Structures are given as structure tokens and as C-alpha cells.
């Protein structure tokens, strides 16, 4: 029996307790890492503390499609390893903030997938529990935006008891056909 099957058999209170324990374990594992990180669907931001007074020229930062390494020149890297997913190297950047923090911005190749971790050898988070920020219609590409706007319009029309966009198109086509053929009787016509 899988862990999912076990979870499904738990009561609501038992699920909440397990979820809380899992979140606490995840938080402890993530806090033990030598960096912190956040993500959106399209990118990952990694924050690495460095000794106060550190300048960009003191750092050795490597961002490759499947690899990330950050450290002080001539010393063991603070973090180094294989990224859990591919990044767009040309669109990924790093900078030093207040001479004590390295900020790394990684653009994901797959902008539709949450990362479980930054480096493959580090603890994973449960991506099914991620609560993304509400996105705006303007964030969507043209085709997707059009589809979402149509769905929203149709839903609004249905709630008001009015015809959907598809029904409006059919009614308009029938009206044009009637105007083109006044000799035909459409009084019993039904629109399907």
C-alpha cells in the first residue's frame, strides 16, 4: 500500500496533523541548507549568505544548464551540485547585495513545473502543497488568455441565463442565413 493510500484513509484531523508535521520537517530541512530559496512557476531565486564585506570579485559563481556552484574563490564552495531541473543560462543572473548576500535568479526551462529542490542531493519539498500566488490575465500568453477570457464570459452569461459565446455565434449565423433566404420559413427552426 502506498503512502497516498494511507493518507486517503486518514480522518481530516489526522491529515491536518500529518500535513503540519510534514511542513515542520520540511522547514527544518530547508533551514539547515546553506541557502534559502523561493520559486514561481517560471523562476527560482536562491539567497546565499556570505561573509560581510564580500565583493563580486571575491566569488566563484557558476551557473550552467544543470549545475550551480557558489563560493569564495580559493575555498570550498558554499553550495555546489546538479540542479534538479534545467535552467536558461543566458537569462539567469547573480548579484551581491549589501556585501553579505549573493542573490541568484534562475530562469526555468520548463516554466510549468514546480521544483522539489534546487540541488538534487538536497532535501525535497512537497510540490503538491504549494499555494501559488494568483496570476493575472496579463501574465498569460495570448492564446491562453483568450481561452480564459472566453470561459469567464461564457460562465458569466450562463449565470445570467443568457447565451454563451458559441450560442451567440450560432444565432448570428442563423440570422444571416435567414436574411439571405427570406423565402424560407424559419419559425419552427431549433438551434442545436
Amino acid at each position: 500500500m502506498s503512502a497516498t493510500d494511507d493518507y486517503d484513509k486518514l480522518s481530516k484531523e489526522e491529515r491536518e496533523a500529518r500535513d503540519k508535521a510534514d511542513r515542520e520537517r520540511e522547514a527544518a530541512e530547508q533551514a539547515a541548507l546553506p541557502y534559502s530559496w523561493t520559486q514561481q512557476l517560471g523562476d527560482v531565486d536562491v539567497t546565499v549568505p556570505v561573509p560581510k564585506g564580500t565583493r563580486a570579485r571575491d566569488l566563484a559563481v557558476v551557473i550552467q544548464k544543470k549545475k550551480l556552484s557558489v563560493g569564495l574563490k580559493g575555498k570550498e564552495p558554499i553550495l555546489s551540485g546538479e540542479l534538479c531541473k534545467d535552467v536558461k543560462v543566458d537569462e539567469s543572473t547573480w548579484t551581491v547585495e549589501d556585501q553579505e548576500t549573493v542573490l541568484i535568479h534562475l530562469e526555468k526551462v520548463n516554466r510549468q513545473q514546480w521544483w522539489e529542490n534546487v540541488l538534487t542531493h538536497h532535501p525535497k519539498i512537497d510540490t503538491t502543497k504549494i499555494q501559488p500566488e494568483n496570476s493575472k490575465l496579463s501574465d498569460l500568453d495570448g492564446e491562453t488568455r483568450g481561452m480564459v477570457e472566453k470561459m469567464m464570459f461564457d460562465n458569466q452569461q450562463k449565470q445570467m441565463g443568457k447565451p454563451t459565446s458559441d450560442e451567440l455565434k450560432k444565432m448570428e449565423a442563423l440570422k444571416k442565413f435567414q436574411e439571405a433566404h427570406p423565402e424560407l420559413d424559419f419559425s419552427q427552426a431549433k438551434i442545436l
Side-chain angles (χ1 to χ4, degrees):
M1 191 176 296
S2 72
T4 307
D5 293 337
D6 292 343
Y7 187 83
D8 291 341
K9 291 181 180 177
L10 297 175
S11 69
K12 183 179 181 209
E13 293 78 22
E14 290 170 325
R15 285 183 189 183
E16 287 172 359
R18 182 185 285 181
D19 287 346
K20 184 177 184 222
D22 288 347
R23 281 193 303 275
E24 288 171 357
R25 176 190 46 77
E26 273 182 16
E29 289 173 350
Q30 295 298 311
L33 294 173
Y35 60 89
S36 60
W37 65 290
T38 59
Q39 69 177 314
Q40 301 295 318
L41 264 177
D43 55 54
V44 173
D45 290 310
V46 182
T47 305
V48 184
V50 291
K52 187 127 181 89
T54 299
R55 296 173 179 253
R57 67 172 179 248
D58 303 327
L59 293 165
V61 179
V62 177
I63 301 173
Q64 296 174 346
K65 186 174 183 171
K66 269 302 256 182
K67 182 179 188 271
L68 177 64
S69 178
V70 179
L72 295 168
K73 287 182 179 170
K75 297 191 176 178
E76 280 294 308
I78 298 167
L79 68 106
S80 181
E82 183 181 345
L83 291 166
C84 77
K85 305 276 188 251
D86 293 354
V87 297
K88 296 177 183 175
V89 177
D90 293 343
E91 295 177 31
S92 298
T93 60
W94 67 274
T95 186
V96 179
E97 185 176 87
D98 299 331
Q99 296 186 341
E100 62 184 354
T101 307
V102 179
L103 301 175
I104 303 159
H105 178 79
L106 303 171
E107 281 292 324
K108 297 176 179 178
V109 169
N110 182 345
R111 301 177 60 84
Q112 300 300 316
Q113 189 173 32
W114 295 110
W115 285 15
E116 295 177 324
N117 50 15
V118 176
L119 301 177
T120 55
H121 65 282
H122 286 164
K124 294 181 177 184
I125 62 167
D126 183 356
T127 57
T128 63
K129 304 287 189 223
I130 291 177
Q131 300 265 320
E133 290 180 16
N134 287 335
S135 59
K136 300 176 205 90
L137 276 177
S138 58
D139 294 343
L140 302 173
D141 64 74
E143 184 179 341
T144 306
R145 181 178 178 170
M147 219 167 44
V148 170
E149 286 175 338
K150 179 181 182 291
M151 288 168 38
M152 289 168 58
F153 173 81
D154 288 346
N155 194 32
Q156 202 172 29
Q157 290 289 96
K158 281 182 185 175
Q159 288 176 346
M160 295 188 299
K162 295 182 176 179
T164 65
S165 55
D166 290 337
E167 292 166 343
L168 287 169
K169 279 182 190 172
K170 288 177 186 176
M171 290 165 60
E172 184 64 30
L174 179 61
K175 184 179 174 190
K176 284 181 182 176
F177 191 77
Q178 286 175 327
E179 289 170 358
H181 301 282
E183 72 279 2
L184 298 175
D185 177 20
F186 289 94
S187 61
Q188 302 299 314
K190 289 192 169 122
I191 301 173
L192 301 175

